Amino acid sequence: MRKKVSFPIEGGDYKKALLRWAQQFYEVAWLDSNEHSSKYSTYEAILAVDALTAIKTDTSNAFDDLKVYQSETKDWIFGYLTYDLKNNVERLSSKNFDGIEFPDLYFFQPKKIIRILENTIEFDYLLMVDDELESDYKEIFEYAFDARKKEVKTNKKNVAIKMRIFKDEYFKQVTKMLDYIHKGAVYESNFCQEFYIENQEIKPLEVYNRLNSISTPPFASFFKLDDKYLLCASPERYIKKEGVKVISQPIKGTAKRSKKLEEDEQLKYNLEHDQKERAENIMIVDLVRNDLSKSATKGSVEVEELCKIYSFDQVHQMISTVVAEVKKDKNPVDIIRDTFPMGSMTGAPKVSAMTIIEELEAFKRGLYSGSVGYFSPEGDFDFNVVIRSILYNASKKYVSFSVGSAITSKSTPEFEYQECLLKAKAMREVLE
């Protein structure tokens, strides 16, 4: 049985305090909405630490194993799904270079869950010993108010960020993808490239805080699994389940921001009326509708918002919202399996796009373009899309971040390359 206790928040930076306090644990899952409020918001922030049980597996039978674990646990579980679980959904493979080496799937049942809800901090503990909750709260309170326990920022060091493929090779691979499109193999396909740093130690929490402060996205996450870290500033929700309602919010379409109000409004207007960007978004909306229909009750799939522009600190984004209803007894893991990987990171037709992606990309995506989130005891869930993120293997001293864009018949290699550089800006800034 879990025990819940709440305390009022009166000043202090409890978010940063919680993350500082959490670093003592081997398993850390932190999800932060950065105070973005919408009709589908559930919390301001949530932290899960200290695994009681866990599941770690490769792609073979991964979803079946997760299904068993989720149904037997009947509790909160937090974790991630790597992009390469596509190999469990379809007859595909992943043979490209993997510098980070995250397990393909990992979920854990946390002993301790802490939520920030408006002006309240809520502790949700499992197998709690006497005075443990009060002791933890006191320690977190000290992190929030005691200057001696606050994070001390270090000076940035010069780092050598490398590209897995250079500009000429990028142009060559995008041209090949355009050939596939012109031949009718696919209509749209996502193409990504990796930036990386070798033999470099970083302070994951410090880097995450910088990245999050630059972007303040609605689906930020910090995930730690022993020596491996995800520092994620994602603006995109993959999929959420509330009761019998399922929500997916794919992003396709990106434009830079301007500090000049009039110019910024023009950039926003241009994105909203860009026929190429709208076509990309609508193609993915059709793919998401098809994916949701595999689990949905007949006639329940609807497009709630189409090509709506949302503005974030770094960029404007074109986002659509697709909803559906499922039967009460529909297994939650099956819903995810039916829609995985998310359409915005693959293409259409989906299997053909993933096959071509594997052929043309020069790295194994792993957790990049996968998803981080949780299942509740009732079978509800919420997962983001792992983009605008830095991955770090502390043992190997290997740092990686990747960016991509959707390639369609109207794409040009130069435009797509510049879009990738725009998306990479925040990650480069915090690392350089």
Side-chain angles (χ1 to χ4, degrees):
M1 290 289 292
R2 288 191 173 272
K3 180 177 179 180
K4 289 185 181 180
V5 178
S6 297
F7 299 94
I9 292 177
E10 299 176 355
D13 193 337
Y14 275 87
K15 285 187 180 180
K16 287 187 177 179
L18 276 172
L19 265 176
R20 288 279 290 163
W21 171 80
Q23 299 308 303
Q24 64 188 289
F25 300 101
Y26 284 104
E27 310 89 3
V28 178
W30 166 259
L31 308 173
D32 187 357
S33 69
N34 280 303
E35 300 182 9
H36 287 269
S37 179
S38 76
K39 63 188 292 186
Y40 298 120
S41 298
T42 305
Y43 53 79
E44 188 173 323
I46 186 168
L47 172 72
V49 297
D50 199 9
L52 175 66
T53 66
I55 177 175
K56 178 171 67 174
T57 183
D58 59 17
T59 59
S60 179
N61 299 315
F63 282 107
D64 286 338
D65 292 343
L66 177 60
K67 191 174 177 179
V68 171
Y69 179 69
Q70 188 273 332
S71 61
E72 289 182 347
T73 306
K74 293 185 174 66
D75 193 13
W76 290 91
I77 58 173
F78 290 72
Y80 66 79
L81 310 158
T82 63
Y83 170 81
D84 300 288
L85 292 179
K86 65 183 174 59
N87 306 338
N88 181 218
V89 178
E90 305 290 348
R91 295 174 63 88
L92 299 168
S93 63
S94 299
K95 298 178 181 178
N96 289 328
F97 172 77
D98 178 12
I100 297 294
E101 299 177 349
F102 268 99
D104 289 315
L105 178 149
Y106 181 84
F107 279 83
F108 71 100
Q109 177 189 15
K111 296 177 186 177
K112 303 179 181 185
I113 300 173
I114 304 174
R115 302 176 184 87
I116 293 180
L117 304 162
E118 296 183 358
N119 296 317
T120 302
I121 181 168
E122 179 185 84
F123 292 75
D124 184 343
Y125 276 29
L126 187 66
L127 303 177
M128 185 176 64
V129 299
D130 291 344
D131 300 326
E132 184 178 13
L133 190 150
E134 288 80 4
S135 175
D136 287 349
Y137 175 69
K138 182 179 179 181
E139 192 171 344
I140 293 164
F141 184 89
E142 289 176 355
Y143 274 110
F145 288 95
D146 189 339
R148 290 170 299 177
K149 287 197 172 185
K150 289 184 179 180
E151 182 181 9
V152 178
K153 293 185 177 180
T154 58
N155 293 325
K156 296 182 184 180
K157 299 178 181 178
N158 292 327
V159 298
I161 299 178
K162 302 177 183 178
M163 302 173 70
R164 184 62 54 193
I165 58 173
F166 293 101
K167 187 173 182 179
D168 289 347
E169 183 68 15
Y170 176 89
F171 276 39
K172 179 182 175 182
Q173 298 302 81
V174 171
T175 300
K176 287 182 180 178
M177 189 164 280
L178 286 168
D179 288 341
Y180 277 116
I181 292 170
H182 296 146
K183 292 174 181 176
V186 285
Y187 305 111
E188 175 179 348
S189 188
N190 192 272
F191 182 70
C192 302
Q193 58 176 318
E194 182 195 20
F195 297 75
Y196 65 98
I197 310 169
E198 296 175 299
N199 299 314
Q200 181 69 51
E201 292 184 8
I202 65 171
K203 293 192 173 183
L205 183 55
E206 183 179 320
V207 173
Y208 167 78
N209 284 333
R210 287 204 301 264
L211 181 63
N212 189 48
S213 65
I214 287 174
S215 305
T216 60
F219 302 104
S221 62
F222 178 100
F223 198 94
K224 174 188 175 186
L225 178 55
D226 196 6
D227 64 339
K228 299 175 183 65
Y229 296 83
L230 165 69
L231 322 173
C232 177
S234 175
E236 183 172 2
R237 168 179 277 131
Y238 159 39
I239 192 168
K240 179 174 185 174
K241 178 178 178 288
E242 291 181 336
V244 296
K245 188 170 186 177
V246 178
I247 306 104
S248 185
Q249 296 180 293
I251 290 179
K252 271 287 166 268
T254 304
K256 65 181 180 180
R257 299 291 310 267
S258 173
K259 293 181 180 179
K260 299 178 181 178
L261 179 60
E262 185 175 342
E263 184 179 352
D264 193 59
E265 286 298 318
Q266 186 63 49
L267 289 166
K268 182 177 178 180
Y269 178 87
N270 291 346
L271 176 61
E272 184 177 10
H273 295 86
D274 188 310
Q275 293 305 308
K276 173 185 173 293
E277 303 283 24
R278 291 183 66 87
E280 289 180 11
N281 194 295
I282 290 168
M283 274 191 272
I284 297 305
V285 165
D286 285 342
L287 189 155
V288 170
R289 289 172 60 213
N290 181 67
D291 283 349
L292 288 179
S293 69
K294 298 173 186 176
S295 297
T297 56
K298 189 174 181 180
S300 69
V301 179
E302 296 180 1
V303 180
E304 201 170 78
E305 287 182 343
L306 183 64
C307 299
K308 184 173 180 179
I309 307 301
Y310 287 81
S311 298
F312 302 97
D313 289 354
Q314 292 278 301
V315 293
H316 299 296
Q317 301 276 196
M318 186 180 288
I319 305 176
S320 293
T321 301
V322 188
V323 300
E325 290 189 0
V326 296
K327 292 181 179 180
K328 288 184 179 180
D329 60 353
K330 181 67 178 178
N331 186 277
V333 177
D334 285 340
I335 297 171
I336 292 176
R337 174 164 32 195
D338 286 343
T339 59
F340 197 85
M342 58 291 300
S344 60
M345 297 306 295
T346 54
K350 199 170 187 179
V351 176
S352 295
M354 290 189 291
T355 303
I356 294 168
I357 287 168
E358 192 66 34
E359 174 194 336
L360 297 182
E361 289 183 352
F363 71 107
K364 180 180 177 181
R365 289 190 182 182
L367 189 47
Y368 170 71
S369 73
S371 185
V372 170
Y374 63 84
F375 292 90
S376 76
E378 298 76 29
D380 288 344
F381 54 71
D382 199 3
F383 286 87
N384 73 0
V385 180
V386 177
I387 51 176
R388 320 292 162 82
S389 303
I390 295 169
L391 301 171
Y392 177 50
N393 185 316
S395 296
K396 293 177 61 180
K397 299 181 182 179
Y398 187 90
V399 184
S400 170
F401 66 92
S402 303
V403 292
S405 65
I407 311 301
T408 69
S409 61
K410 295 183 179 180
S411 296
T412 63
E414 179 63 39
F415 180 87
E416 302 302 333
Y417 187 77
Q418 293 302 322
E419 181 175 330
C420 286
L421 295 183
L422 173 62
K423 291 175 179 176
K425 181 181 177 183
M427 284 85 77
R428 292 195 76 111
E429 188 173 328
V430 300
L431 290 169
E432 292 179 335

